[in-house]
Amino acid sequence: MISLKEMAVLSKDAEKELALADNETKNRVLISSARLLRENSFFLMEENRKDLDNAVNLSAAFMDRLRLNEKRIEDMASGLEKITSFPDPVNNILEERTLNSGVHLLKKSVPLGVIGIIFESRPNVSADSFGLCLKSGNALILRGGKESILSNMAIVKVLRKALEENNMNPDSVQLVEDTDHKSADEMMKMNGMIDCLIPRGSSRLIQAVVDNASVPVIETGAGVCHTYIDEYANDDMAIRIIDNAKTSRPSVCNALECVIVHEKKLDILSRLEEVLDVHNVEIRADEKSYPYFKKAIHASSEDFGKEYNDYILAVKTVSDLNEAIDHINTYGTKHSECIITDNNDNALRFMNMVDCACVYHNASTRFTDGGEFGLGAEIGISTQKLHARGPLGIKELTSYKYYLEGNGEIR
């Protein structure tokens, strides 16, 4: 097992080759990767089964994130193929002009360099991150959690084979096989070797990286997502959207964690409970909403601002739109928020005043996703305002450089 420093040196060498790779070559690697993922689906699921068997005392939601099946492998493969349809995001002229000095200026898009991903249980992160980094000309160092190590090793083995088939440096993607916390700590301090670090996982992991890294970090957010039922909401629409946002896949970051309901709409809650009860959703209700449920438990102050990633839903009652906005800006994680209303003025105020990467009017927060946004895959959902926000696609994995051409000009 090579050291992280040795791995970073190999990534730097691969970075130079990637920066010169043309779009056709990168697309060939992506197509090969998709084919090999499909051809090796049995191998990938067998290795994933070992991870599942080794997992102990983990929640159902965590196990769901860890699990690979044929559909999820197909999603990884098709996601890589979709990336080939996008234009090359590097070496594009973003701006061109001649300065007063006579010097000619070009502003061109360039790769970030070497990107490190620290993540937890989802093996698909390995393939998604690879596709986006390859297309944007970035070398990639992956460091997953111990629970998914065999799955990640299998996926990276397939991806490296695709690179080799196309005569590209297999060290364009590398996996840190040491899952001790020290390896993550070391990655956070590799200034000059890793150009950008992106954490993906629980709020605890993300905060640890943000607090301890000296390498530049793009903060991807834990998803404490809210849906506000305004006094002018359509009841049927509200129930349909909330059911989807909470129960379609509760383990993901764009799933709903808290319903905020206007006090004039409390009567909707009994109908909502019937729909959510099909999935055995546990409801934690505040004092005003509690009498409208049959099976709810009393919410504590800790239940607001909590990412459950499970079939649990907090309910908060408010007296007006401003109180709903204040609650979200206090307890949200700047990920995805929704208002359900037929009042366009209320919708516009909500969308302008809520501080988050993605804000919805009459639609489920589950749409916050690179694929749904037409970006192919995503490397994470950025909840910060610098350098990118929302789903991180290939364009967000580039920077820019100024090229200045002169003819002996001096200042």
Side-chain angles (χ1 to χ4, degrees):
M1 186 184 300
I2 67 172
S3 69
L4 254 173
K5 287 186 178 179
E6 291 171 319
M7 191 174 288
V9 170
L10 294 172
S11 290
K12 281 292 182 184
D13 289 339
E15 171 199 351
K16 297 169 188 174
E17 181 180 327
L18 283 167
L20 298 174
D22 60 34
N23 196 45
E24 182 180 351
T25 300
K26 292 185 287 190
N27 284 345
R28 282 201 307 268
V29 176
L30 291 169
I31 292 169
S32 295
S33 300
R35 172 178 55 79
L36 288 170
L37 285 171
R38 293 186 178 106
E39 290 177 358
N40 289 276
S41 61
F42 181 78
F43 166 63
L44 298 178
M45 287 188 289
E46 281 294 297
E47 294 303 293
N48 180 248
R49 172 52 55 190
K50 295 174 186 176
D51 281 332
L52 293 168
D53 290 343
N54 291 334
V56 292
N57 299 322
L58 297 175
S59 69
F62 191 100
M63 296 293 282
D64 175 63
R65 293 193 294 272
L66 176 58
R67 182 172 289 106
L68 285 179
N69 53 35
E70 288 188 2
K71 182 183 183 303
R72 291 182 181 180
I73 293 170
E74 174 57 33
D75 288 344
M76 287 192 292
S78 59
L80 293 176
E81 289 173 333
K82 191 174 294 183
I83 294 172
T84 66
S85 66
F86 293 94
D88 197 331
V90 297
N91 295 316
N92 293 321
I93 297 174
L94 306 176
E95 186 179 340
E96 181 176 10
R97 66 179 189 273
T98 300
L99 307 180
N100 291 335
S101 61
V103 174
H104 188 68
L105 177 149
L106 282 179
K107 181 181 180 182
K108 295 176 67 175
S109 58
V110 297
L112 291 175
V114 177
I115 294 178
I117 310 288
I118 298 178
F119 63 106
E120 290 179 321
S121 58
R122 292 193 184 102
N124 67 288
V125 171
S126 295
D128 293 349
S129 301
F130 168 74
L132 293 167
C133 285
L134 178 76
K135 184 76 171 185
S136 54
N138 296 290
L140 174 64
I141 298 177
L142 295 159
R143 195 276 184 191
K146 63 181 180 181
E147 293 84 4
S148 58
I149 183 61
L150 297 177
S151 305
N152 292 327
M153 288 172 65
I155 292 171
V156 170
K157 182 178 180 179
V158 169
L159 300 176
R160 288 172 66 90
K161 183 178 180 181
L163 286 159
E164 291 172 342
E165 281 189 358
N166 291 275
N167 299 313
M168 287 195 70
N169 192 334
D171 293 326
S172 299
V173 58
Q174 297 183 82
L175 174 71
V176 179
E177 296 181 11
D178 179 4
T179 58
D180 188 277
H181 287 299
K182 291 180 181 178
S183 64
D185 294 339
E186 186 179 353
M187 283 184 72
M188 297 180 204
K189 306 296 183 184
M190 296 185 73
N191 298 70
M193 303 298 286
I194 294 177
D195 296 288
C196 177
L197 202 57
I198 303 175
R200 287 196 62 178
S202 67
S203 57
R204 184 174 66 176
L205 168 70
I206 294 164
Q207 198 59 51
V209 175
V210 170
D211 290 344
N212 297 303
S214 55
V215 172
V217 175
I218 297 178
E219 182 177 353
T220 63
V224 179
C225 302
H226 300 76
T227 294
Y228 169 51
I229 305 175
D230 187 46
E231 62 178 306
Y232 302 105
N234 177 290
D235 288 5
D236 291 339
M237 179 188 292
I239 290 170
R240 185 170 66 253
I241 289 173
I242 290 168
D243 180 35
N244 174 262
K246 178 71 257 183
T247 68
S248 61
R249 196 175 176 195
S251 64
V252 293
C253 63
N254 57 23
L256 174 64
E257 303 292 15
C258 179
V259 166
I260 303 172
V261 57
H262 192 284
E263 60 186 9
K264 293 181 180 179
K265 299 293 286 187
L266 286 168
D267 287 342
I268 196 178
L269 296 179
S270 59
R271 284 184 59 199
L272 179 62
E273 182 179 30
E274 289 180 7
V275 172
L276 296 179
D277 194 47
V278 173
H279 298 275
N280 297 313
V281 175
E282 177 184 300
I283 295 172
R284 301 182 181 181
D286 68 353
E287 291 303 317
K288 287 187 177 180
S289 64
Y290 180 80
Y292 292 82
F293 295 105
K294 293 180 180 179
K295 299 180 181 180
I297 64 174
H298 288 283
S300 68
S301 58
E302 289 77 22
D303 288 316
F304 300 106
K306 187 170 183 178
E307 186 179 29
Y308 294 108
N309 290 136
D310 206 345
Y311 290 101
I312 302 171
L313 182 68
V315 178
K316 169 69 177 177
T317 309
V318 296
S319 58
D320 58 31
L321 174 65
N322 290 333
E323 190 179 350
I325 293 170
D326 288 344
H327 182 88
I328 290 172
N329 287 341
T330 299
Y331 292 98
T333 53
K334 307 183 191 302
H335 193 293
S336 301
E337 310 292 357
C338 169
I339 181 173
I340 303 173
T341 186
D342 288 337
N343 185 306
N344 289 331
D345 289 337
N346 281 5
L348 183 60
R349 179 171 177 79
F350 180 93
M351 297 178 86
N352 286 338
M353 298 302 295
V354 165
D355 184 11
C356 61
C358 304
V359 60
Y360 292 84
H361 175 205
N362 291 345
S364 170
T365 57
R366 288 281 284 113
F367 285 106
T368 301
D369 174 82
E372 293 290 340
F373 279 24
L375 304 177
E378 73 188 33
I379 210 162
I381 308 294
S382 171
T383 56
Q384 64 185 39
K385 298 178 182 179
L386 301 173
H387 109 105
R389 202 175 196 193
L392 297 170
I394 53 175
K395 288 184 179 179
E396 288 71 33
L397 298 181
T398 64
S399 182
Y400 53 81
K401 182 190 293 187
Y402 288 101
Y403 292 69
L404 298 120
E405 186 76 30
N407 189 31
E409 289 84 1
I410 62 173
R411 180 180 178 183

